Amino acid sequence: MNEQPGRFLFYAQLLVVASLPFHFLISSYAIGLLILLFLIEIIRYKGFRISVIKSFKENKVAILLALLFLMYVASTLIHYRSYAGDSVETAALEKKLSFLLFPFLFANFANADHNKVRITLEVFVASILISTFFALCDGLYQTLSTGSLYFYDKDKSVLFNNFMYHRLGSYVGMHAVYFAEYILLAFIIVVSYSYYHFPYWNLKKRLFSVFVGLYLIGVIFLLKSAAVLIILLIIISLFSAYYLYRARKHVSNLLKWSIPFITIVLVAVLAYRAIDKIGQKAGFFTYDFSEPGGGNWNAINLRLAKWDVAQMAIKDHWLLGVGPGNIISTLDTYYERVGFDYALQLHYNPHNQFLHTLLTLGIAGFLVLSTIYFLAIIKSLKKQDSVMFLFLVSFLLFSMSESTLAVNKGIVFFSVFLTFFSYLPQKVSYYLNERTPTDQL
């Protein structure tokens, strides 16, 4: 009797990966289907059950991710009496379930064959290409049907370009900043894959790979996330410097000069766009809490102000935190105390995941989250896995300016790929048909 799960479980995993860059309800249904099939396989096959438990026990990153969920449960119980109705504690915990689920749902990738891993990565990239193309087509339709390139949001009193920022992401139910982070991972995978195959491809395949890479950069550019643009700038620089160094003895002089030139141009354009995005108003780093919305606020000083207030709250709640359902109400109290009316009206979170976790769970939760990153990065370096390493670095940097694990799209994305990469026994480039498995960072 076959003691391993059938192909339908793998198809369900692919469906979850493919659903990521679309509305969260689609992802939720896909995850629900995966849970159902996983439970069936666990009950039917003893060998599979033993294999999942064994893989989980051997993966410290997966164990800590599950522990993080249990800490949210414990924090909810500790602070239960302080919640102000509306089942806020239940809603806060539901979002965190991915921390507990995916360490088990993706555990079978510890023993997955070469083709399954490669197909999973290809499906994610394909879903990104489909979702971005759909978003651009919808933007074109909106422009042609209304006769205007712009859309006025009456609720927010903001004029949006149909092809940019939140308007572009809204066509597929995605927040622009998180959509950009998803596309960034697809870009990392495409560049890594192309690096190993480029010398063996014909001209059409080479041009197509270059087009896909530039296309993904272009969509990230349109989504106007200064944080992701800066991270993209760093990753392009690292890719170019490292891969050019690795291939220094095997590339022509033309390529040696063209790659740095293209990199400099891309970095200059992205740097200009990022600076333009965050510096459209005077005073990068200075702020006044009493400043009204639409005043001197920009992407940098607004976050600095939020971090300042979050640190005030942390000083009073650093030991046990305030609980996952109390963080916004707690911050609102401090916003009101310092006269930060703009943030109070919009009920801002800290826009920094580490401050967010410290205020929510206290020092223990902060240490667990930091240890997850530390162990995962160490694991990527030991495996010499550049894709996993860049995913972790990009999400870590992204988390410095966003509360990435406070929203569904951040939690699921992080949980899926952290567990997926951490379970793989080989580096990602091995599964992307690397021709020299021992010769890659």
Side-chain angles (χ1 to χ4, degrees):
M1 181 178 180
N2 184 15
E3 287 292 304
Q4 291 302 318
R7 62 182 182 275
F8 291 109
L9 179 64
F10 177 59
Y11 292 158
Q13 290 169 328
L14 291 182
L15 184 61
V16 169
V17 171
S19 69
L20 290 176
F22 295 94
H23 194 279
F24 81 93
L25 285 177
I26 298 176
S27 297
S28 298
Y29 290 134
I31 293 171
L33 177 62
L34 174 58
I35 293 171
L36 177 62
L37 291 175
F38 179 83
L39 291 175
I40 292 173
E41 301 296 285
I42 281 287
I43 294 171
R44 288 179 63 190
Y45 302 119
K46 180 181 179 181
F48 177 60
R49 184 165 62 251
I50 294 173
S51 175
V52 166
I53 295 173
K54 181 176 182 292
S55 298
F56 175 75
K57 287 181 177 180
E58 293 174 351
N59 191 331
K60 294 178 181 178
V61 174
I63 292 172
L64 285 176
L65 197 61
L67 176 61
L68 188 62
F69 172 77
L70 296 179
M71 294 188 72
Y72 275 102
V73 174
S75 181
T76 299
L77 295 175
I78 291 171
H79 298 283
Y80 182 80
R81 293 183 180 276
S82 65
Y83 291 125
D86 296 328
S87 299
V88 290
E89 71 281 0
T90 303
L93 282 179
E94 283 176 354
K95 292 180 180 179
K96 315 299 182 184
L97 266 173
S98 293
F99 295 150
L100 178 66
L101 294 175
F102 285 103
F104 294 98
L105 295 178
F106 274 41
N108 61 307
F109 277 103
N111 303 302
D113 62 41
H114 183 284
N115 287 331
K116 285 185 176 181
V117 176
R118 178 178 52 79
I119 291 170
T120 303
L121 296 168
E122 290 174 348
V123 165
F124 175 69
V125 173
S127 69
I128 291 293
L129 294 176
I130 292 170
S131 62
T132 53
F133 180 73
F134 179 84
L136 291 171
C137 288
D138 205 344
L140 178 61
Y141 171 78
Q142 297 296 331
T143 300
L144 294 176
S145 61
T146 61
S148 173
L149 185 61
Y150 298 94
F151 168 79
Y152 181 71
D153 189 327
K154 295 180 180 179
D155 296 330
K156 298 180 180 179
S157 299
V158 176
L159 189 66
F160 287 108
N161 185 308
N162 285 331
F163 293 95
M164 289 187 174
Y165 203 35
H166 290 308
R167 181 66 171 164
L168 183 61
S170 68
Y171 301 133
V172 288
M174 289 287 298
H175 186 287
V177 178
Y178 290 89
F179 198 17
E181 177 66 14
Y182 284 30
I183 298 170
L184 182 59
L185 176 58
F187 174 78
I188 292 171
I189 294 170
V190 167
V191 172
S192 182
Y193 181 78
S194 300
Y195 171 74
Y196 294 107
H197 293 270
F198 203 82
Y200 308 98
W201 282 341
N202 58 35
L203 181 60
K204 288 184 179 180
K205 288 185 176 180
R206 290 182 180 185
L207 290 175
F208 179 73
S209 69
V210 172
F211 168 77
V212 171
L214 292 176
Y215 168 78
L216 294 175
I217 291 175
V219 179
I220 292 175
F221 186 89
L222 291 175
L223 289 168
K224 298 176 66 175
S225 168
V228 178
L229 282 172
I230 292 171
I231 297 169
L232 175 61
L233 183 155
I234 294 170
I235 287 175
I236 289 177
S237 300
L238 289 174
F239 260 130
S240 300
Y242 177 73
Y243 287 143
L244 189 60
Y245 170 77
R246 287 287 310 280
R248 64 190 183 280
K249 297 180 181 179
H250 308 288
V251 298
S252 65
N253 289 328
L254 176 63
L255 194 58
K256 286 181 180 179
W257 286 104
S258 62
I259 290 179
F261 175 76
I262 293 172
T263 300
I264 291 171
V265 172
L266 284 174
V267 167
V269 171
L270 293 171
Y272 171 79
R273 186 67 194 90
I275 293 172
D276 179 61
K277 174 72 170 62
I278 63 180
Q280 292 173 349
K281 298 171 184 175
F284 270 26
F285 306 105
T286 59
Y287 58 86
D288 180 351
F289 285 130
S290 63
E291 187 81 33
N296 188 43
W297 296 113
N298 58 59
I300 289 183
N301 65 9
L302 182 57
R303 280 170 170 76
L304 290 174
K306 296 172 193 172
W307 298 346
D308 193 5
V309 174
Q311 290 176 63
M312 296 177 192
I314 288 169
K315 287 179 181 178
D316 296 333
H317 304 280
W318 65 272
L319 184 58
L320 296 177
V322 298
N326 282 334
I327 185 167
I328 298 301
S329 60
T330 299
L331 285 173
D332 282 348
T333 300
Y334 284 84
Y335 290 146
E336 186 175 14
R337 184 180 300 178
V338 299
F340 197 178
D341 292 336
Y342 179 44
L344 179 60
Q345 293 170 6
L346 296 174
H347 307 292
Y348 276 131
N349 64 39
H351 273 69
N352 179 297
Q353 185 54 50
F354 293 94
L355 293 178
H356 195 114
T357 301
L358 186 53
L359 181 55
T360 302
L361 300 178
I363 188 65
F366 173 81
L367 290 175
V368 169
L369 179 61
S370 300
T371 304
I372 288 172
Y373 273 107
F374 176 76
L375 292 180
I377 289 174
I378 293 298
K379 190 167 191 173
S380 71
L381 292 175
K382 285 184 176 180
K383 290 198 300 182
Q384 298 184 325
D385 192 340
S386 59
V387 175
M388 180 181 178
F389 176 77
L390 289 174
F391 161 73
L392 290 166
V393 170
S394 65
F395 201 85
L396 175 63
L397 294 174
F398 184 43
S399 297
M400 296 296 184
S401 62
E402 293 286 336
S403 292
T404 50
L405 303 182
V407 297
N408 179 277
K409 281 300 182 182
I411 295 169
V412 174
F413 177 70
F414 180 71
S415 301
V416 165
F417 282 104
L418 177 66
T419 53
F420 174 74
F421 289 138
S422 67
Y423 273 121
L424 297 181
Q426 301 286 344
K427 53 192 172 183
V428 172
S429 58
Y430 169 80
Y431 302 99
L432 294 176
N433 294 320
E434 181 182 350
R435 291 176 178 268
T436 53
T438 60
D439 191 32
Q440 142 90 13
L441 176 64

